[in-house]
Amino acid sequence: MKCSIIVSYCRSTERAVRLYHSLENQNFPHDEYELIFVNYGERDNLSDYISEHSSSVRVRCFTIAGAKVSQAKNQGIRRASGDLLIFLNGDEIAPRDFVSGHYEAYKQHGKPVMQFGLTKQVFEDNDEVFFENREILRNGIRYWLTEPETYGLDKHKSYYYIKDIRLKMLEPYRYDFDKVKYKMIFTQTSNLSIPMECIRKYGGIDENFRGQEVEDWEFGYRMMKNGVDIIYNPQVAVLHLYEKEKFDSKRYSEWKSNLDIMLQKYNDSFLDELAEFRSFFDPVRRERIRKAEPGKNIWIEVYKHLERSARKPSFA
């Protein structure tokens, strides 16, 4: 088996079904990749749906109710048989060349690499969505999505997308990812691949974290420390249909706690500057800046300051 696609999800069966259909229609040999869906929420009917729809791709579904997302991903890793593991979230949509894009880049490099692709945030064109997200949309150019039905979306509706914020993070380097120092900040297991041999040598997802973001940084950093190159693959972007998220004080507190766990795990001065992100995780400060400077993107500002002050990493 060449590729195992590991999909973790916990809420919408409808979205997981849409992702399933986009993954079963890849332009990659169907006997050379498998789909592993791991539900870490309440039981759902995805397994029943897939069993009623014959597929030429090997598909397996598992449920570990009430688990953390890291546990779901590790469950997928344990069940995988592919040479290359590809991670996705259950609310995304993969274009037809998604699997081939990851696998061809993996083979071309001739050595183990962790590669990430970007996410295009897709919005339905209506006033309610616009006003809900006007701060996000103010920081990005809108691009119209043509033929939405090819992505499992309603062909009678209009959709647009904005580019992943990580592209703006690459602007100071003229999009040359080799010049980035804190590469692990770009690694998100919502569109990420890594050879199985790296997992066997250096381990899977650290389950001490709750939620998703910093645990992905730790995963990428651990690979960096062990000599695995992190690369940006512009050929493997996915779509994510907008869903209103709850960014409350509990979530920011969780992120800050995860950051503290990572900083305590490694006795490495290279990571000390990551404490900068504590200001991003402070909801009171965020709200003050949002009102005073409504066009300012706090994440970008913190990241740019971090990269300017970074020392060149040196790993054994």
Side-chain angles (χ1 to χ4, degrees):
M1 186 70 66
K2 290 181 178 178
C3 299
S4 295
I5 294 86
I6 298 171
V7 179
S8 55
Y9 71 103
C10 71
R11 288 191 294 274
S12 174
T13 303
E14 179 185 347
R15 292 183 176 227
V17 166
R18 186 175 57 224
L19 173 59
Y20 158 68
H21 283 304
S22 72
L23 288 172
E24 70 163 349
N25 290 310
Q26 294 290 298
N27 63 357
F28 196 76
H30 286 189
D31 60 345
E32 295 287 3
Y33 71 99
E34 63 179 352
L35 309 179
I36 302 172
F37 286 85
V38 186
N39 171 25
Y40 59 99
E42 298 179 359
R43 289 194 171 275
D44 66 351
N45 59 1
L46 178 63
S47 180
D48 294 335
Y49 177 89
I50 291 175
S51 65
E52 293 167 3
H53 295 74
S54 59
S55 174
S56 57
V57 179
R58 185 188 187 197
V59 187
R60 288 176 291 163
C61 298
F62 303 95
T63 296
I64 45 176
K68 294 187 289 187
V69 63
S70 54
Q71 293 171 316
K73 291 187 171 82
N74 282 335
Q75 171 82 320
I77 289 171
R78 287 190 289 271
R79 304 285 184 168
S81 58
D83 297 329
L84 183 69
L85 306 186
I86 305 174
F87 294 93
L88 279 171
N89 287 339
D91 55 359
E92 292 167 327
I93 308 169
R96 290 197 72 241
D97 57 355
F98 175 75
V99 175
S100 59
H102 268 284
Y103 189 76
E104 287 168 9
Y106 157 65
K107 296 300 288 184
Q108 285 172 3
H109 278 79
K111 61 179 181 179
V113 294
M114 172 183 272
Q115 56 178 310
F116 73 91
L118 301 181
T119 300
K120 297 175 180 178
Q121 188 76 254
V122 178
F123 301 86
E124 186 179 330
D125 185 29
N126 62 57
D127 291 339
E128 180 183 351
V129 170
F130 177 81
F131 284 107
E132 258 182 21
N133 298 279
R134 57 189 181 277
E135 288 184 42
I136 298 174
L137 298 172
R138 190 184 295 122
N139 289 304
I141 300 173
R142 286 187 283 171
Y143 302 84
W144 291 104
L145 186 68
T146 59
E147 299 182 335
E149 65 275 14
T150 62
Y151 301 101
L153 301 175
D154 190 337
K155 68 178 180 180
H156 300 295
K157 295 181 178 179
S158 297
Y159 300 87
Y160 54 84
Y161 66 89
I162 59 172
K163 291 183 178 180
D164 193 308
I165 193 174
R166 287 172 290 179
L167 273 180
K168 290 191 72 68
M169 291 161 67
L170 283 172
E171 281 179 359
Y173 299 107
R174 298 181 183 273
Y175 306 102
D176 184 354
F177 188 66
D178 286 341
K179 295 178 181 178
V180 173
K181 300 180 183 71
Y182 288 92
K183 287 182 166 62
M184 71 281 187
I185 291 176
F186 286 76
T187 60
Q188 297 176 7
T189 48
S190 54
N191 181 1
L192 185 82
S193 67
I194 188 165
M196 176 66 91
E197 64 179 287
C198 295
I199 299 288
R200 290 181 178 136
K201 288 180 181 178
Y202 312 122
I205 310 297
D206 188 329
E207 295 182 6
N208 289 311
F209 298 90
R210 179 166 291 279
Q212 183 173 304
E213 189 78 57
V214 180
E215 72 174 28
D216 290 345
W217 295 0
E218 191 281 330
F219 186 43
Y221 184 63
R222 191 175 349 124
M223 296 303 159
M224 284 175 62
K225 283 182 70 69
N226 285 286
V228 179
D229 284 345
I230 298 176
I231 64 168
Y232 163 44
N233 185 341
Q235 306 303 318
V236 292
V238 295
L239 302 181
H240 176 267
L241 185 62
Y242 163 73
E243 183 177 34
K244 190 173 183 179
E245 294 186 79
K246 188 178 180 182
F247 290 91
D248 55 14
S249 57
K250 179 182 176 182
R251 182 165 180 179
Y252 286 114
S253 177
E254 187 177 89
W255 276 346
K256 182 180 178 299
S257 176
N258 284 339
L259 180 59
D260 291 339
I261 290 171
M262 181 173 176
L263 295 178
Q264 292 166 13
K265 180 172 181 176
Y266 295 99
N267 182 24
D268 191 335
S269 60
F270 175 63
L271 291 180
D272 290 346
E273 296 293 334
L274 281 182
E276 281 275 333
F277 277 97
R278 288 197 178 102
S279 61
F280 173 78
F281 300 139
D282 179 352
V284 175
R285 180 176 180 272
R286 285 172 60 85
E287 183 64 16
R288 187 169 63 246
I289 293 175
R290 186 187 70 81
K291 290 180 177 179
E293 302 176 76
K296 188 172 185 178
N297 188 307
I298 305 171
W299 178 272
I300 291 288
E301 293 300 317
V302 173
Y303 171 75
K304 286 181 177 178
H305 185 270
L306 176 71
E307 281 286 329
R308 283 195 297 267
S309 60
R311 287 165 288 182
K312 187 176 182 179
S314 57
F315 303 127

